[in-house]
Amino acid sequence: MQNNILEYLERTVVRLPDKVAFSDGTYDMTFGELSASARSIGTYLLDHGHGRCCVAVLMDKHPVQLAAFFGVLYAGGFYVAPDASMPPKRLQMIMDTVQPCMIICDKKNTALAQTLGLPTALYDDICDFPARDALLEAVRKAHIDTDPAYVVFTSGSTGVPKGVAACHRSVIDYTETLCRAVGFDEHTVFG
């Protein structure tokens, strides 16, 4: 039985390492590049004491943002990805709620990330960190399918944004159903 959403990536990278996994129209990231970056980020997080915790990913929408998400999952944690353009008060409320152990950011959002008073790592500085497969595997063995994968927040229209956690099992079930319904296959490229 599948317990972790990373298993999709791991099965795919063996078969199709050079296939484009994500593209924004100008930048393409292959499954091999995605896997390598995610494993590097996961190792970095573990080596710096940030495993099995919440990590905020404060990046613009871009294919490398997915590598940051997967890297957090490799470290056994879960991520929250607030929109950097939201009002500072709302961003702070989200941070206060999830209490991330650190922030991964892109260059554009470095100054904003640093205002939040948490340890911060620039994606470009950690995406090539030497991956340690044995360390990542040890973390994986402790995973269960009800571990959280990410937290998404409501709009806060009632005054306070509320976080909703999605576990690996929920994402696995949704992915399986969506792939059957829409017909995603190995030729699909996600934007």
Side-chain angles (χ1 to χ4, degrees):
M1 179 168 100
Q2 186 170 336
N3 289 325
N4 189 299
I5 61 174
L6 291 170
E7 293 170 44
Y8 292 117
L9 173 60
E10 291 163 351
R11 286 193 310 254
T12 303
V13 76
V14 169
R15 292 182 29 247
L16 304 164
D18 298 322
K19 181 189 180 295
V20 172
F22 297 101
S23 177
D24 68 0
T26 29
Y27 180 89
D28 296 339
M29 181 173 247
T30 67
F31 281 105
E33 293 165 335
L34 175 64
S35 175
S37 292
R39 296 175 79 74
S40 291
I41 292 167
T43 302
Y44 174 88
L45 293 172
L46 291 167
D47 279 358
H48 289 80
H50 301 300
R52 296 198 63 83
C53 66
C54 179
V55 174
V57 178
L58 195 58
M59 299 173 70
D60 285 352
K61 293 192 183 333
H62 189 276
V64 299
Q65 185 186 38
L66 282 291
F69 294 163
F70 286 131
V72 173
L73 298 177
Y74 268 116
F78 61 98
Y79 63 87
V80 62
D83 183 343
S85 66
M86 69 177 57
K89 183 178 178 182
R90 177 175 161 78
L91 178 60
Q92 191 61 58
M93 287 171 63
I94 288 171
M95 293 297 157
D96 291 345
T97 300
V98 296
Q99 298 181 5
C101 59
M102 74 165 298
I103 299 170
I104 298 172
C105 64
D106 54 17
K107 287 179 186 172
K108 180 182 174 188
N109 293 297
T110 301
L112 175 61
Q114 291 172 341
T115 67
L116 296 169
L118 294 166
T120 301
L122 184 63
Y123 173 87
D124 291 341
D125 292 343
I126 65 174
C127 67
D128 293 321
F129 193 82
R132 293 193 301 147
D133 292 337
L135 178 64
L136 298 173
E137 185 59 32
V139 169
R140 176 64 68 78
K141 287 182 180 179
H143 271 225
I144 59 173
D145 63 349
T146 55
D147 284 340
Y150 64 88
V151 175
V152 65
F153 278 80
T154 63
S155 66
S157 60
T158 60
V160 178
K162 292 164 188 67
V164 178
C167 67
H168 285 262
R169 171 60 39 213
S170 296
V171 178
I172 290 165
D173 291 346
Y174 176 77
T175 301
E176 296 291 328
T177 302
L178 183 65
C179 287
R180 280 192 304 272
V182 178
F184 293 145
D185 63 21
E186 65 185 34
H187 303 292
T188 304
V189 175
F190 296 96

